[in-house]
Amino acid sequence: MKELLQKFENKAPEIVFEWHDAETEARGWVVINSLRGGAAGGGTRMRKGLDRHEVESLAKTMEVKFSVSGPAIGGAKSGIDFDPADPRKHEVLQRWYKAVAPLLKTYYGTGGDLNVDEVHEVIPITESYGLWHPQEGVVNGHFDPTTSERIQKVGQLRLGVAKVVEDSRFTPDYSRKYVVADLITGWGVAEAVHHYYNIYGGDVRNKRVIVQGWGNVGSAAAYYLAQQGARVVGIIDRAGGLIEPEGLSFEQVRELFLNKNGNQIEAANLLSFEEVNARVWDMGADIFLPCAASRLVTREQVDRMIDAGLEVVSCGANVPFNDPEIFYGPIYEYADSRVSVLPDFIANCGMARAFAFLMQDKVEISDEAVFDDVSAVVRDALARTHGESRDKTGIASTAFEIALKQLV
């Protein structure tokens, strides 16, 4: 696996597009690792201090993810080095998407990512520059569609991604009008845990959960696991967090989901980040959901959770461990050798899979169809991994090998 990984990591990306904003200090990159299958896909993220290396790493991560989620295309990523709290954010995004619109029309598809919202930012801005949908480049480059096929596939994407989730099994509150893009990634992270216990043995009910990050992914994953009977005992977010040794009730988790402020947790009894960070890793959790930014989880935190009884990590963040390597550094390998690590390209493939599902011919666009499809893809990926090795450790390593054999 490591030889395959090294070969894949060391191959230079096919296309790197660099942008310098004329009106602010913002810089941006589109990195297309390859045009496998005639196209490439990957979301747009924004954060202060982001660099080209981070975007290259994420583009390669996306290529591995597509080996699970489909379609069989190359990996790409867009990244903008700019403070998302700056009031000029929207204007920066407008200029960015105007610059990259030709790529998005022909062979590159994008979406939301860290600090960039799919429905409220990516879709309306790209539409203003003549795109039918920000995934239109994948439709054109990969499928080479006729006009009628293009209209059908793009129409399904337009309808499905922004569809308001109405089925009470999948939404915390229909009246709030959460859309598929708000919930689907967290759903996949939770379903990865659900299928892990079904395949490798065990039951998610009454399992104790720590969640890192309370944005769309972490809060949704926690909601769905609490719905299945798991107990959230700790939440750590950049604004603070909560510690509840007996576990939050399903209704309490639901309220925390509904009351979040953007991507931050809000609660009357919120503890400081420092206090939660000092205590949460020793809570005795069975399940850990790293759903914040990349490369945050340290060896010390892993050790403390293992000592307290950790069983499984479902990676909601891309490359959650604090390693310099693109995919599988020493901390990741150590965690993978001690507990069950469900890798990001399986656990958080929900949005990529939703795109792939909606690009198929004449699919049913319903909550049940989209959410069940993501669940089935996650289940099948874990079942293939289990078919190679029934060990509860080394799951990520085995899954990487299966994926990389398709790509290298």
Side-chain angles (χ1 to χ4, degrees):
M1 185 279 287
K2 287 189 176 179
E3 187 177 324
L4 288 169
L5 198 59
Q6 187 174 32
K7 189 179 292 187
F8 184 69
E9 285 185 357
N10 291 341
K11 186 179 178 183
E14 286 187 20
I15 299 167
V16 178
F17 173 97
E18 183 166 324
W19 172 79
H20 295 259
D21 187 23
E23 298 185 32
T24 71
E25 66 278 17
R27 300 180 303 157
W29 298 266
V30 177
V31 175
I32 293 175
N33 188 60
S34 81
L35 286 173
R36 174 177 177 249
T44 304
R45 67 169 45 192
M46 177 186 285
R47 73 172 185 85
K48 190 173 177 61
L50 177 145
D51 60 17
R52 172 177 161 169
H53 176 71
E54 179 176 339
V55 186
E56 287 186 8
S57 300
L58 292 165
K60 289 185 180 293
T61 300
M62 287 304 303
E63 190 143 331
V64 176
K65 187 178 294 186
F66 287 128
S67 74
V68 173
S69 71
I73 60 173
K77 205 73 176 181
S78 290
I80 304 169
D81 174 15
F82 191 69
D83 182 357
D86 191 299
R88 299 171 293 174
K89 174 190 177 185
H90 189 75
E91 292 148 32
V92 168
L93 284 173
Q94 286 179 312
R95 291 189 291 274
W96 165 259
Y97 283 120
K98 184 176 183 179
V100 302
L103 281 66
L104 292 169
K105 194 74 176 175
T106 50
Y107 54 70
Y108 169 46
T110 195
D113 198 78
L114 184 70
N115 298 318
V116 179
D117 187 87
E118 169 89 21
V119 173
H120 299 105
E121 293 174 323
V122 183
I123 290 175
I125 295 174
T126 54
E127 278 186 352
S128 73
Y129 294 120
L131 270 85
W132 293 353
H133 190 273
Q135 289 288 315
E136 187 179 344
V138 173
V139 172
N140 290 331
H142 179 62
F143 294 97
D144 191 22
T146 64
T147 300
S148 62
E149 288 170 339
R150 182 186 301 112
I151 291 169
Q152 179 201 20
K153 291 179 187 296
V154 174
Q156 289 175 175
L157 283 163
R158 287 170 64 96
L159 179 60
V161 172
K163 182 189 181 302
V164 173
V165 180
E166 302 167 292
D167 192 318
S168 60
R169 292 173 294 172
F170 306 118
T171 180
D173 185 347
Y174 168 64
S175 69
R176 301 284 188 96
K177 298 194 181 303
Y178 295 106
V179 301
V180 167
D182 294 329
L183 301 170
I184 199 71
T185 305
W187 165 256
V189 173
E191 285 296 279
V193 175
H194 170 72
H195 293 309
Y196 162 79
Y197 281 114
N198 282 345
I199 294 168
Y200 287 84
D203 190 337
V204 75
R205 285 176 296 181
N206 292 317
K207 295 293 186 183
R208 296 163 62 84
V209 183
I210 292 171
V211 187
Q212 182 186 46
W214 201 247
N216 279 352
V217 179
S219 60
Y223 169 80
Y224 293 123
L225 283 178
Q227 189 180 54
Q228 295 178 39
R231 294 184 292 150
V232 176
V233 297
I235 301 168
I236 181 165
D237 193 39
R238 65 181 182 269
L242 295 172
I243 288 177
E244 183 51 65
E246 297 305 311
L248 297 163
S249 68
F250 170 62
E251 192 54 41
Q252 287 174 312
V253 173
R254 177 177 175 273
E255 286 300 312
L256 287 168
F257 180 100
L258 296 174
N259 293 335
K260 66 179 184 280
N261 179 18
N263 278 337
Q264 291 191 5
I265 190 169
E266 292 242 330
N269 54 339
L270 201 66
L271 303 174
S272 70
F273 172 85
E274 291 73 21
E275 182 175 356
V276 177
N277 192 44
R279 298 169 53 195
V280 73
W281 314 110
D282 307 308
M283 289 296 297
D286 307 287
I287 299 164
F288 174 47
L289 308 178
C291 299
S294 303
R295 306 185 191 281
L296 292 181
V297 182
T298 67
R299 169 69 183 263
E300 180 200 2
Q301 291 163 353
V302 170
D303 272 330
R304 287 168 65 181
M305 286 188 286
I306 290 172
D307 289 346
L310 183 66
E311 294 178 353
V312 59
V313 179
S314 187
C315 298
N318 288 317
V319 198
F321 299 99
N322 187 23
D323 291 316
E325 288 78 6
I326 291 177
F327 292 112
Y328 195 77
I331 301 171
Y332 199 150
E333 184 175 10
Y334 174 74
D336 193 34
S337 72
R338 298 290 303 278
V339 297
S340 299
V341 180
L342 314 181
D344 51 9
F345 59 91
I346 294 176
N348 78 359
C349 78
M351 195 69 247
R353 179 56 204 172
F355 285 143
F357 174 77
L358 293 165
M359 290 181 200
Q360 295 178 122
D361 292 334
K362 298 178 181 177
V363 294
E364 175 190 337
I365 301 179
S366 67
D367 299 338
E368 183 175 41
V370 175
F371 281 74
D372 282 357
D373 176 77
V374 167
S375 179
V377 166
V378 170
R379 180 196 64 223
D380 291 349
L382 290 175
R384 283 194 299 274
T385 306
H386 183 259
E388 292 291 322
S389 171
R390 296 188 176 188
D391 291 344
K392 291 187 175 181
T393 57
I395 291 174
S397 174
T398 303
F400 267 120
E401 187 166 358
I402 293 169
L404 289 165
K405 283 178 178 176
Q406 301 174 56
L407 302 175
V408 177

